[in-house]
Amino acid sequence: MSKYPNTFSNNVPSKIILYAYSKTRSGTFAPKLYQNFTGILQCDGYAGYNLLANSVTRVGCWAHVRRKFYDAAQVNGKTVVSVPLTLIDEMFAHERQWQHFSPRVRRHRRRSQIRKLLKRFWKWIDSAQVLPKSRLGKAITYAVDQRPTLDRLINIGMMDWSNNASERNMKRLVSGRKNWLFSTSPAGARSTAIWLTLIESAKANGIDPRAYITYLLKELPQQPDFADPAQLAVYLPWHYPGARHQNKKTTDKHQAKNAA
């Protein structure tokens, strides 16, 4: 599998997890991937995203920022408490309490409770005097470079405080590709991206991936050789005939667990 796979997921009722392959980390790939896309993109500080069109609203990832400050806080194998790391941890503690709230409520909570933590965080950043090439200096530079996209999250309640969901999807790829013998070429990498898109999107929508793929293999051959997007759209995971039954079983299971 390629060293440069990409994945993104959306945070809407009908969920898509898309894997895309690129031979390099060239900045030209991101604009191609998000061509004609209008909406919100949550990402890290990769410079290739700077080339995206104005139709894409970028928001940052506080997990990536935290990782930089966490690494800077490691001294002799121990974590030394620091102001920025403590403030970021407080932000995430709040977010964990609100993760199942509606976007409107999360936006309100962020404005009323996290905004003051952000002000303290940036005040510390602006007054810090450290060597630019030190680990802490690099963490500060990374945060400052991402400041507009990080602050934007305050007003966008539909987005998580980090893009850890996409990171977890990437870990599934990384853990599996060493065992996938066909992933030793660009063609194998593209095939892996297609299969993982189908499998992980099915899982994200509460569907058994094996049952869903079996359904596709039976039904898609009935389509014309050059089916148009509208004909293929009916086979997306949320249109899968077994989805409603499986989602009901999942809901019943969760309700029974909560009742217990």
Side-chain angles (χ1 to χ4, degrees):
M1 184 65 188
S2 165
K3 294 184 294 183
Y4 311 112
N6 291 267
T7 178
F8 67 86
S9 56
N10 60 353
N11 191 25
V12 296
S14 299
K15 299 180 179 180
I16 302 172
I17 298 176
L18 173 66
Y19 291 79
Y21 166 76
S22 174
K23 292 181 180 180
T24 71
R25 284 184 62 84
S26 168
T28 60
F29 180 66
K32 291 180 181 177
L33 182 62
Y34 293 98
Q35 186 177 13
N36 299 322
F37 172 76
T38 299
I40 302 171
L41 170 66
Q42 186 168 42
C43 56
D44 58 16
Y46 171 53
Y49 294 124
N50 295 331
L51 303 176
L52 295 178
N54 293 332
S55 61
V56 179
T57 300
R58 288 174 54 190
V59 295
C61 169
W62 278 95
H64 280 82
V65 177
R66 184 190 184 280
R67 195 173 302 147
K68 304 288 185 182
F69 284 100
Y70 177 83
D71 291 343
Q74 303 308 301
V75 179
N76 297 325
K78 296 182 179 179
T79 303
V80 177
V81 177
S82 68
V83 172
L85 186 58
T86 299
L87 290 171
I88 294 173
D89 284 345
E90 287 186 45
M91 297 178 200
F92 274 106
H94 284 304
E95 284 292 321
R96 282 192 291 273
Q97 298 177 24
W98 311 332
Q99 60 182 331
H100 298 302
F101 290 2
S102 70
R104 183 184 63 82
V105 173
R106 285 212 293 186
R107 181 182 60 193
H108 175 74
R109 295 293 177 89
R110 287 175 181 175
R111 288 175 174 176
S112 63
Q113 299 186 46
I114 289 187
R115 177 174 280 165
K116 55 186 178 183
L117 296 176
L118 270 180
K119 289 182 178 179
R120 291 169 57 191
F121 176 83
W122 292 122
K123 182 178 180 180
W124 188 94
I125 293 293
D126 292 338
S127 61
Q129 296 182 356
V130 298
L131 294 175
K133 294 187 177 181
S134 66
R135 285 186 297 178
L136 182 56
K138 291 179 180 178
I140 291 174
T141 298
Y142 182 86
V144 170
D145 289 344
Q146 303 304 309
R147 185 168 184 168
T149 64
L150 293 167
D151 285 347
R152 204 168 284 148
L153 279 168
I154 283 288
N155 296 312
I156 306 180
M158 67 177 294
M159 303 302 293
D160 290 335
W161 204 240
S162 75
N163 68 343
N164 279 342
S166 291
E167 294 290 318
R168 286 192 294 271
N169 291 325
M170 285 303 302
K171 287 181 179 179
R172 295 188 183 105
L173 165 65
V174 172
S175 64
R177 65 182 174 183
K178 293 180 180 179
N179 301 317
W180 299 331
L181 300 180
F182 61 83
S183 293
T184 58
S185 68
R190 283 189 286 271
S191 296
T192 299
I194 292 171
W195 281 108
L196 282 177
T197 295
L198 294 172
I199 292 169
E200 295 302 331
S201 293
K203 290 162 64 176
N205 286 275
I207 298 170
D208 177 4
R210 181 170 183 172
Y212 176 59
I213 291 175
T214 300
Y215 166 75
L216 293 181
L217 293 175
K218 290 181 178 178
E219 297 295 327
L220 286 178
Q222 311 304 318
Q223 290 293 322
D225 291 339
F226 300 100
D228 60 45
Q231 290 173 305
L232 296 176
V234 298
Y235 296 102
L236 291 170
W238 46 91
H239 295 311
Y240 170 56
R244 184 178 302 176
H245 175 65
Q246 290 183 23
N247 289 337
K248 183 179 186 303
K249 287 175 62 178
T250 301
T251 301
D252 292 344
K253 182 178 179 180
H254 287 319
Q255 289 177 344
K257 184 177 180 181
N258 293 334

